[in-house]
Amino acid sequence: MKGLFNLDSPVMAFLSRVGDLIWLNVLTMLCCIPVITAGAALTALHYVCIKMARNEEGYLTKSYFRSFRQNFRQATVLWILLLLILAVAWGDFYFIAMTDGTLADVMRIGLCAIVFFFLCGGIYWFPLLSRFDNTIRNILKNACLLGILHFPKTLCILVIYGAFAAAYAVFIFRLLPVIFLVGISLPVYAASWLISGIFKKLEPEPEDGAAEIGQSV
C-alpha cells in the first residue's frame, strides 16, 4: 500500500499529470477570457503540453507565461487571421445552405474540402509558434507543409480534436465539469504526443538536451 502512494509510483505520476492538466486548463480558460488573448493562451498551452509529452515541463506556470509573453504579438495576429477565416467559411456555408440545386451541392463539397485542407495546416499554427522563432509567413507555409508531409499523423490529430469536440457538443451538459477541468488541456496534451514526434525531426539537438523557445525551422 505504501508503494502505491510513493511519489515515484505510476498512480502518483498519473494523479500529478491530471493535476497539471487541470491547472493548465484553468490558466488557459482565464487567459482566453479577453478573447483577443486566446491565441497567446493556446500557444502557451501547446508549448507546455509538448514539454510535458517529453517529460521536460519543469515549472508549468513559469513556462506557460514565458511562452505567453514571448509569442503574444504573433499569436494575436494568427488568432485574428483564424477568426476571419472561420467567419468567411461560416458565411459561405450559410449562403450555400440557403440555395438549392446541383451547383449548391458541388459548392458545398468544394467548401468542405477547402476547410479540411485548411484544418490540416491550421492545427500546426500555434504549436509551431510555440516551439520555433519564425515569421508569420513562414509559420503558415511550414504548417501547410507539415500537414501534407505528415498527413497520417495530421489525420490522427484531427480525429482527436474532432472526437473531443463532438463529445462536448453532444453531451455538453453531462460533460460540463470535465470541460471546465480538462476540456482544453486534455485534447491538446493528447495531440502533443504526435506533434512532439513531428517537431523532433525539425529541431537541432540543444546542448542541454531540451528544446526551447527560440529555435527556428
Side-chain angles (χ1 to χ4, degrees):
M1 195 68 177
K2 289 183 179 180
L4 186 65
F5 294 100
N6 188 288
L7 292 178
D8 296 325
S9 70
V11 173
M12 293 303 294
F14 173 77
L15 293 177
S16 176
R17 183 64 81 216
V18 171
D20 291 341
L21 291 175
I22 291 174
W23 178 236
L24 282 176
N25 203 71
V26 170
L27 287 178
T28 303
M29 292 184 72
L30 289 175
C31 291
C32 283
I33 289 177
V35 181
I36 194 66
T37 60
L42 292 174
T43 300
L45 176 62
H46 279 94
Y47 177 68
V48 176
C49 282
I50 291 174
K51 290 177 74 70
M52 287 172 63
R54 299 176 178 181
N55 292 316
E56 301 173 354
E57 60 267 27
Y59 297 102
L60 295 187
T61 305
K62 183 179 179 180
S63 295
Y64 185 93
F65 283 109
R66 176 174 176 239
S67 177
F68 186 95
R69 290 192 302 270
Q70 289 188 350
N71 297 302
F72 181 82
R73 184 180 62 83
Q74 288 183 304
T76 302
V77 173
L78 286 176
W79 175 245
I80 293 174
L81 179 60
L82 176 63
L83 292 180
L84 289 175
I85 292 174
L86 291 178
V88 170
W90 181 87
D92 289 340
F93 275 116
Y94 180 80
F95 172 77
I96 294 173
M98 301 300 292
T99 59
D100 297 317
T102 304
L103 180 60
D105 293 335
V106 173
M107 293 174 63
R108 189 176 295 108
I109 294 173
L111 185 57
C112 286
I114 292 173
V115 170
F116 173 76
F117 284 109
F118 164 73
L119 291 175
C120 286
I123 58 175
Y124 293 105
W125 284 11
F126 298 115
L128 276 172
L129 178 59
S130 74
R131 298 296 301 184
F132 302 99
D133 183 14
N134 223 322
T135 63
I136 294 293
R137 180 179 179 180
N138 283 337
I139 289 173
L140 299 178
K141 181 183 71 175
N142 291 333
C144 291
L145 290 174
L146 289 179
I148 296 172
L149 296 176
H150 299 276
F151 185 74
K153 288 186 177 181
T154 297
L155 191 59
C156 289
I157 295 170
L158 288 176
V159 169
I160 291 172
Y161 289 147
F164 275 95
Y168 295 160
V170 175
F171 305 105
I172 184 169
F173 293 109
R174 294 181 182 178
L175 295 179
L176 203 57
V178 177
I179 294 174
F180 278 110
L181 289 175
V182 292
I184 305 174
S185 60
L186 181 57
V188 170
Y189 177 63
S192 291
W193 286 87
L194 294 169
I195 295 172
S196 174
I198 295 172
F199 284 6
K200 274 289 188 181
K201 300 176 181 179
L202 305 176
E203 298 170 348
E205 286 293 333
E207 294 181 359
D208 60 357
E212 293 294 336
I213 297 175
Q215 296 176 336
S216 59
V217 176

